[in-house]
Amino acid sequence: MAHTRSRSTTDQTLEQQNDEELSALHGKIKALRSLTGQVTIDILDDSSRQNDQLDRTGNTFTSFANSLFSTSRHHSRSMAANSTLRQYRTIAYVVAGVVFIWLLFKVWPSGSAPPPIEDAL
C-alpha cells in the first residue's frame, strides 16, 4: 500500500508540474499573439506610409513632366516665331559658353587655384 501511495504522490507531483508548464506555455502563447498582432499593425502602418510616399512622388513627377512639356511647347513656339538668324545666334551663344568653360578648366586644372593677384602685378 505504501508503494501505491508514493506512486500516486509522484503522479500528482508530475501532473502539478505539467499544469505549471502548461500555464507558462499559455502565457507565452498569449505574449506571442500580442506581439504578432503588434507586428502586423506595424507592417500595415509602414505599408500605408510607403504608399502615401509613392503617391506624393508620382504626383511630383507628373507635375514636373507637365511643367517640362509646357516649357518645351513654349520654347518650340518661341523658336518657330523667331527668325532663323536668331536661332543660329542662340546656338552660337550656347556653343561659345561651353567652349569658354572648357578653356577655363584647361587654364586652371582641377585641384589648383588661380594665381594670386600679387604675382600678376
Side-chain angles (χ1 to χ4, degrees):
M1 183 99 174
H3 183 359
T4 325
R5 193 182 316 161
S6 70
R7 177 163 257 197
S8 74
T9 306
T10 306
D11 288 343
Q12 286 177 351
T13 305
L14 288 175
E15 191 170 329
Q16 184 180 7
Q17 288 175 351
N18 281 343
D19 289 341
E20 289 171 2
E21 292 295 325
L22 190 59
S23 293
L25 187 59
H26 281 296
K28 289 178 182 179
I29 288 173
K30 285 181 183 178
L32 282 174
R33 283 184 181 164
S34 173
L35 181 63
T36 303
Q38 186 60 42
V39 168
T40 303
I41 291 170
D42 289 346
I43 290 172
L44 179 64
D45 290 345
D46 188 50
S47 66
S48 295
R49 280 192 302 272
Q50 288 180 6
N51 283 337
D52 290 342
Q53 181 67 32
L54 286 173
D55 288 343
R56 286 193 303 273
T57 303
N59 292 340
T60 301
F61 277 116
T62 300
S63 173
F64 175 73
N66 289 339
S67 176
L68 186 62
F69 178 71
S70 174
T71 302
S72 173
R73 195 174 58 226
H74 176 72
H75 176 67
S76 295
R77 274 190 266 141
S78 173
M79 285 306 223
N82 293 333
S83 68
T84 316
L85 180 62
R86 186 167 226 181
Q87 290 177 15
Y88 287 138
R89 225 185 275 160
T90 303
I91 293 170
Y93 289 147
V94 170
V95 170
V98 169
V99 168
F100 176 75
I101 291 172
W102 179 76
L103 286 174
L104 191 64
F105 279 110
K106 280 298 201 181
V107 171
W108 289 309
S110 65
S112 65
I117 296 175
E118 296 138 8
D119 290 345
L121 294 176

